[in-house]
Amino acid sequence: MRIHGWFLSAILLSASGPALARPAARTSAVKAVPAATVRAKLAGAKDCKLPYPTRCKATAEVVALGPGAAAELMKQVTHKDARVRAAAITALAELRHEPAGQAALAMLKDSDPDARGAAIMAAGELRAEGALPALANLLGGKSVGDAMLAATALGRSREPGAMDPLMRALRHFNPMVQASAARALAAIGEAEVVPALAKALRDPKTSRPGRLACAEALGGLKHPDAVPPLVEVLGEAEHALVWAATEALGKQRDRRAVAPLLNLLPRPEMATTVAAALGEIGSSDAVPGLVRILKEGTTDVSLLQQVFWALGSIGSPSAVAALKPYLKDEAPRVARWAAEALGRIRDISAGEALLGALRRPEREVREMALWSLQEISGKTWGEELELWEAWVYTPDR
C-alpha cells in the first residue's frame, strides 16, 4: 500500500489549526502576471517537500503574485510534471480562485498520489459544488492515504455537511483515518459531533491513535458533555491516553474534573501534566492538593515550576502562606517562580515577603518581586525601597 509521500505530512498538521493566510478576494479586474513569471515561480515550488505557503517559500511567492497569476496557474494544473500540478492547484486554492474548484475535483482522479493529494486539500479549501460528496467518497475508498487527506480536507472545509461522513470514519478500519476524522470533526467545531467522539473514545474497539485523537478533539470543543467520557479515561492503564484526557480536561475548564485530576496528582509520571490542567481549570478546590506538593518538598523541578504557575493561575489567597517561604529559597529560579505566582494572585498579605525578596542579590528575583509588588499595589516606584517599606508597613494602605 502506497501512501502519499510529500503530502502525507499534511495529515500531521492539525485540522483544527489556523487557516492559512490568503489574499482577499478582489472584485475589480486584475492585471495578468506574465506566464513566464508564473512558470518560473512554480519551478521552485515543485521541489518543496510540502507545497503549502506556510511550509514552502517558493509557493508563498507564487501566491504573492496575486489573482493575476490565476489564468496561467489554471493552465499548469494539467502540466506533465505531477509536482507542478500539485503546486499550481495549491496556489489556486490559496488564491481562492473559484474556477479552480472544478479543476481540483477533476484532479481527484490524477494517477499521481502527490498531485491527487494536493487536489484533495484544494477541494476542501475551495468547496466547489460536489466537493463534499467527492471527498466523502474518498474517505470510504481503498486508499488509506487518500482517506486520511480527505478527512483533513473535510475538516478544513468547516462545512456542517462534512460531519456525517467524518463521524462514520471514526469506525474506519485504519487507525490513522480514525484519528484524522476525529481531528477534522474538532475543526468543524459543532456540538453535534460530541456524542460521536465520546462514543468512539469509550469504545475499546477504537484504535489507540483514534482514541487519542478523540480525547484531543473533545478537549478542543469545550462542551460540558465532553467532560464525563474524558474523566472515565483517567482510570485507564494506558499512560498516553490518560495524559491526553488530562490535557483535554484542562482545556474544558470544568470544575467537575478537579477531583478526578487530584486523584492522579500523586502519580509521578502524571503530576506535572495534572498540575498544568488544574491551573487551566482555575478552581480553588485544587489549591490544597497543589500546596501539598510544595509541603512534601518535591525534587522535580519541572513539577515545582508547574505548581507555582498553577497556583498563580488559580489566584486564590489561600495559597499565599504556602508560597511566601519560597521567596527565600536558595535557588533564584524557585524564588522567582514564587514571586510571579504571588504577583498573579495579587493578595496584599504577600507585601512584606516580597519586600524581603526585593533585597535579594539576584537581579531576576528582584525584578520579579518588583513586578509583583506593582501588580498588588498599583504603584510604580521602581526599586525605591523606602517607598515600598512605607507602603508595606502603613496600616491603611
Side-chain angles (χ1 to χ4, degrees), residues 69-161:
E72 181 60 27
L73 288 171
M74 287 293 289
K75 296 177 183 178
Q76 297 300 315
V77 297
T78 58
H79 195 280
K80 63 181 181 180
D81 188 327
R83 293 194 175 226
V84 172
R85 299 198 297 273
I89 197 65
T90 298
L92 285 163
E94 289 302 308
L95 288 167
R96 290 185 292 176
H97 187 62
E98 290 185 4
Q102 292 302 320
L105 292 182
M107 282 182 67
L108 295 181
K109 298 179 180 179
D110 198 295
S111 60
D112 183 88
D114 290 330
R116 194 166 64 248
I120 291 171
M121 298 301 290
E125 290 285 346
L126 293 167
R127 291 169 285 184
E129 184 177 353
L132 289 185
L135 291 170
N137 186 53
L138 290 173
L139 194 56
K142 295 180 180 179
S143 169
V144 170
D146 285 355
M148 292 165 68
L149 284 169
T152 302
L154 285 167
R156 291 177 69 85
S157 76
R158 305 295 199 273
E159 291 286 350

Side-chain angles (χ1 to χ4, degrees), residues 7-239:
F7 270 95
L8 182 57
S9 299
I11 295 301
L12 302 178
L13 299 175
S14 170
S16 59
L20 300 176
R22 295 182 291 192
R26 298 182 184 178
T27 55
S28 58
V30 295
K31 183 178 179 180
V33 176
T37 301
V38 178
R39 290 195 295 268
K41 295 291 186 183
L42 279 176
K46 74 170 188 171
D47 293 328
C48 291
K49 185 176 181 181
L50 281 172
Y52 304 120
T54 53
R55 299 299 179 98
C56 175
K57 181 180 178 181
T59 304
E61 291 175 354
V62 175
V63 175
L65 295 174
E72 181 60 27
L73 288 171
M74 287 293 289
K75 296 177 183 178
Q76 297 300 315
V77 297
T78 58
H79 195 280
K80 63 181 181 180
D81 188 327
R83 293 194 175 226
V84 172
R85 299 198 297 273
I89 197 65
T90 298
L92 285 163
E94 289 302 308
L95 288 167
R96 290 185 292 176
H97 187 62
E98 290 185 4
Q102 292 302 320
L105 292 182
M107 282 182 67
L108 295 181
K109 298 179 180 179
D110 198 295
S111 60
D112 183 88
D114 290 330
R116 194 166 64 248
I120 291 171
M121 298 301 290
E125 290 285 346
L126 293 167
R127 291 169 285 184
E129 184 177 353
L132 289 185
L135 291 170
N137 186 53
L138 290 173
L139 194 56
K142 295 180 180 179
S143 169
V144 170
D146 285 355
M148 292 165 68
L149 284 169
T152 302
L154 285 167
R156 291 177 69 85
S157 76
R158 305 295 199 273
E159 291 286 350
M163 291 191 295
D164 283 343
L166 286 169
M167 287 190 286
R168 289 194 297 271
L170 292 174
R171 301 187 298 275
H172 196 278
F173 69 88
N174 184 274
M176 298 310 296
V177 176
Q178 293 176 10
S180 297
R183 295 188 184 99
L185 287 168
I188 294 172
E190 298 290 339
E192 291 89 335
V193 308
V194 171
L197 288 167
K199 182 178 180 180
L201 177 62
R202 287 177 166 130
D203 190 348
K205 294 181 180 178
T206 305
S207 68
R208 180 176 179 273
R211 297 187 76 198
L212 288 169
C214 284
E216 176 190 334
L218 287 169
L221 287 168
K222 294 184 181 179
H223 191 280
D225 290 345
V227 174
L230 289 169
V231 168
E232 290 174 22
V233 169
L234 297 182
E236 299 202 14
E238 172 64 53
H239 172 71

Side-chain angles (χ1 to χ4, degrees), residues 234-275:
L234 297 182
E236 299 202 14
E238 172 64 53
H239 172 71
L241 191 57
V242 176
W243 182 84
T246 298
E247 281 209 324
L249 286 168
K251 294 175 183 177
Q252 287 289 326
R253 298 182 179 179
D254 191 306
R255 288 183 61 182
R256 289 176 294 169
V258 172
L261 288 171
L262 285 172
N263 289 335
L264 286 179
L265 202 53
R267 288 171 52 176
E269 76 279 11
M270 288 300 305
T272 301
T273 304
V274 170

